[in-house]
Structure formats: C-alpha cells, structure tokens
Amino acid sequence: MGAPTVVDDDHVRWITFDRPEAANALHPDDLEPLADAVRGIGPGTRAIVFTGAGGRAFCAGMHLDAFAGLTPATARRLISRLADALRAVRHAPVPTVAMLNGACIGAALELALACDLRTARPGVRLGLPEVALGIPSVVDAALLPAYVGLSRAREMILTGDLYELDAFGPGFANRVAAPDRLRAETLALLRRVTAHTPEVLAAQKALFETWLEQGISACVATSVDVFADVFAAPATAAALAAHRR
C-alpha cells in the first residue's frame, strides 16, 4: 500500500488513494504519479473518479512528514508539485469526480474542489486545517468561495476546523448516498454526463477553465471559437442528427 492505485473499468479510470493505515495521506512522491494518471488516460476513458481505500478516509491531504525541515526553496518545490497535480485534474478533458467515502482534508479537499463533480456519503468531514500547522491554505483552496461564499470560506480557512458535509451547502456534493450505495450513485451520475460526445465534453471542460481565469468579454470571445471548432468533429453532426429524428 502506498502510491495511488489506478484501475480502468468500463471506460472509467478509478484513482484510489491507497494508504489506509495513514488515512490515505499523500507523500510528495505520490504527486507526479497522480498527475501522470490523470494526463495519461487513453481515448477510451470517459471519466476519472478519485476515491480512498478503506472506509475511514477519502484522503487526509499531505502527510505531516512532508513539511518537516522545509526551507523556503524546498517548500516552493513541494507546493509547486501539488499545484501541478491539481492543475492536471482541472485540465482533464473528461469529467472528474471526487467520490468522498470518508474524511477529506487539506490538499484532498483542494482536489475535490478541482473536480467537476463530487459525490459523498452522509456525515463526511472536510476541512482545511493548514493554519493550525502555521502554513496557509493555498493553490486550489482558492476555489472554495465559489462553493460556500466568501465569508464562509474565510471562516473555514481561518479556523482550520473540520466541518460536516452539510456545512458546505447543497451545491457542494452533487449526490449524497449511503456508503453501500455511493459507487452506484456515482456511476449513475456519470452515465448521464458521459452520454454526450467526448468532443463536446472536452470543449466544455476547457471553457470551464476559461471561465475561471478570464473576464466575461474574453470568455465570450473564446466561447465563439470553441463553438465553431466543435463542428469539425463528425460526432457533433451525428449527435445533432440523432436529436432531430
């Protein structure tokens, strides 16, 4: 048990954090394989699901040992590796899902925020406890206000507390299901999402990132180009024809 495991099953890539004896905490050497598992999907992969081994945790974020003895230079290298892994998740051309089957803490919550969709079991606990360690919450923690509002996000980050799923509001988890139903509910949601052409999903995913990074005028201009380009794919014409019957 150690680095995240990767299993491809029926067009879905399952990436499982596999260190259950340590609440699936990540080590620095896990970050590049995690990014490679996302970037290395084949043409038959229609979605990526992240989850945790065992029933205790989704992932506890970076293992505390990762921060021991850091200098400004080595701290920059570590957080840059994490940022690169999360960037790979945001830029994935297929839908990404964080299936939260247990506690989701620190960098793991940042990954869940970076995913397109989240499914969770009731009562799962989440949080960004970095301030309690004397370090700030960074990289994709910047997405938290979009889910919970600015005031609530600042409270969550500045207290460093863990919160029940309900504290994140109804818009955070797309589906909530009992542990024995969570995988089935996740797959049911994915069936609806992946019913569309890969070309349109990749185009829409790219636009999501544009919407995060640019103002409305630039977003509209980029959207015009993306809309036009998708008509180069034969699948677009086939999908339109199917709906006109």
Side-chain angles (χ1 to χ4, degrees):
M1 297 179 183
T5 62
V6 180
V7 175
D8 293 316
D9 181 28
D10 196 21
H11 306 293
V12 177
R13 171 156 289 189
W14 294 83
I15 301 176
T16 302
F17 303 116
D18 191 19
R19 200 169 277 118
E21 74 283 0
N24 295 322
L26 292 167
H27 291 181
D29 288 345
D30 297 333
L31 297 175
E32 281 80 9
L34 176 62
D36 290 344
V38 174
R39 295 190 179 112
I41 59 172
T45 301
R46 300 299 311 276
I48 298 171
V49 179
F50 299 92
T51 193
R56 176 184 169 199
F58 171 74
C59 177
M62 295 303 302
H63 198 288
L64 290 181
D65 290 350
F67 304 115
L70 289 180
T71 66
T74 57
R76 181 179 296 276
R77 285 197 291 273
L78 173 62
I79 203 63
S80 295
R81 292 165 75 184
L82 175 60
D84 181 67
L86 297 180
R87 187 180 305 112
V89 175
R90 292 200 321 274
H91 289 194
V94 299
T96 54
V97 184
M99 192 175 82
L100 307 178
N101 59 328
C104 179
I105 298 169
L109 178 52
E110 295 170 30
L111 182 142
L113 293 168
C115 284
D116 299 306
L117 305 166
R118 283 147 299 281
T119 60
R121 64 168 178 78
V124 69
R125 291 171 63 79
L126 311 97
L128 294 165
E130 286 86 347
V131 292
L133 306 175
I135 58 178
S137 292
V138 291
V139 292
D140 286 44
L143 297 170
L144 184 61
Y147 292 93
V148 302
L150 181 58
S151 180
R152 188 65 157 161
R154 290 184 176 183
E155 174 193 333
M156 289 177 166
I157 292 171
L158 291 174
T159 62
D161 290 342
L162 297 186
Y163 293 81
E164 296 284 339
L165 179 65
D166 290 348
F168 286 74
F172 178 76
N174 300 89
R175 298 289 188 275
V176 179
D180 62 342
R181 290 289 306 159
L182 185 55
R183 183 183 177 100
E185 287 293 327
T186 300
L187 289 173
L189 177 60
L190 279 179
R191 280 193 291 272
R192 297 199 59 180
V193 173
T194 59
H196 313 302
T197 69
E199 291 83 0
V200 75
L201 290 174
Q204 192 65 69
K205 286 290 307 287
L207 283 174
F208 287 162
E209 195 68 11
T210 298
W211 295 346
L212 282 173
E213 293 179 352
Q214 301 183 19
I216 186 63
S217 294
C219 286
V220 170
T222 300
S223 296
V224 169
D225 294 334
V226 172
F227 182 86
D229 291 344
V230 80
F231 281 84
T236 301
L240 285 167
H243 282 275
R244 291 183 66 192
R245 291 176 188 153

